[in-house]
Amino acid sequence: MNEKNDKLNGCITLPVSVVSGCLDNDFSFTKEECQEIQTEITHYENLQAAVITSLKIVQKRCGWVMDCAIISIAEMLRISVSDVESVATFYNQIFRQPVGRHIIRFCDSVVCYISGCQSFQIKLEQFLCIKTGETTLDNRFTMIPVSCLGKCDCAPVIMIDDDIYTHVLSMDITEMLEKYL
Ligand code: FES
């Protein structure tokens, strides 16, 4: 084990089976997850570089990143909780609250804005009976605004999970959403 791995705090000795959970007051990394983080660390000088990987691991398992996971990451990497929190809140792909099974990201940057994204956003909100930032009652969709999705020439644009939809004003919302069960 190299020196950088030795700096990991508590990770190696964690019990493998503490995967209960994604409770907001109980999170521990599994042995496999620790190994993944350790592998990431070997590529960088600084343990802080593993924060994003650690956050992604939490989100992959739990669907979002709860406060106790932020604390676990900080303890494991021996950095401050606020350093982890600042990374978590900087990236809009990291969710700090529970989200639905499918994420609808709509671009509200300037090109989509002048192309009428707001009217489509309102239609979506009415169709799903939620406001932007909220999750549907059946936990199926969460709507969040994002900056440019890189398809400005096809504005307005939305993304559902990994699927990009362009020129959405002309699209049928029911048809668009029906494949996301
Ligand atoms: S501004 Fe919306 S995709 Fe670029």
Side-chain angles (χ1 to χ4, degrees):
M1 185 174 305
N2 67 29
E3 203 173 298
K4 275 183 273 183
N5 285 352
D6 283 343
K7 290 180 191 165
L8 268 185
N9 187 21
C11 195
I12 295 164
T13 55
L14 285 174
V16 183
S17 60
V18 195
V19 222
S20 56
C22 298
L23 305 171
D24 2 356
N25 58 357
D26 175 24
F27 181 88
S28 297
F29 288 99
T30 64
K31 184 179 174 188
E32 291 75 18
E33 289 167 343
C34 287
Q35 281 167 349
E36 196 177 328
I37 294 166
Q38 283 159 10
T39 302
E40 183 74 14
I41 286 169
T42 58
H43 299 134
Y44 300 101
E45 285 299 315
N46 194 326
L47 286 175
Q48 197 159 355
V51 171
I52 278 284
T53 298
S54 307
L55 291 166
K56 284 183 182 169
I57 286 172
V58 175
Q59 186 160 292
K60 186 176 171 191
R61 171 151 48 105
C62 303
W64 63 294
V65 178
M66 58 295 274
D67 290 346
C68 61
I70 296 280
I71 294 167
S72 290
I73 292 170
E75 286 174 350
M76 179 177 67
L77 299 178
R78 291 180 180 159
I79 59 178
S80 73
V81 170
S82 62
D83 280 348
V84 179
E85 181 69 66
S86 62
V87 174
T89 49
F90 180 78
Y91 290 99
N92 63 14
Q93 305 285 343
I94 298 295
F95 306 124
R96 290 290 281 116
Q97 58 186 19
V99 290
R101 295 192 300 282
H102 304 288
I103 308 296
I104 301 175
R105 295 177 172 87
F106 66 88
C107 172
D108 62 358
S109 289
V110 61
V111 179
C112 285
Y113 184 83
I114 59 178
S115 302
C117 72
Q118 275 191 318
S119 67
F120 193 76
Q121 176 187 350
I122 291 167
K123 274 193 217 166
L124 262 178
E125 288 180 342
Q126 287 171 344
F127 186 85
L128 296 172
C129 299
I130 56 173
K131 291 288 183 195
T132 298
E134 294 179 346
T135 299
T136 54
L137 278 179
D138 61 1
N139 213 31
R140 188 173 166 203
F141 294 107
T142 298
M143 272 181 74
I144 55 173
V146 292
S147 299
C148 183
L149 287 165
K151 290 274 183 186
C152 313
D153 54 331
C154 306
V157 181
I158 73 164
M159 189 170 180
I160 305 178
D161 298 338
D162 295 327
D163 306 323
I164 292 263
Y165 295 87
T166 58
H167 301 299
V168 293
L169 290 181
S170 59
M171 298 192 75
D172 181 302
I173 292 179
T174 312
E175 205 174 293
M176 180 192 294
L177 299 184
E178 69 185 2
K179 70 177 185 175
Y180 302 96
L181 300 175

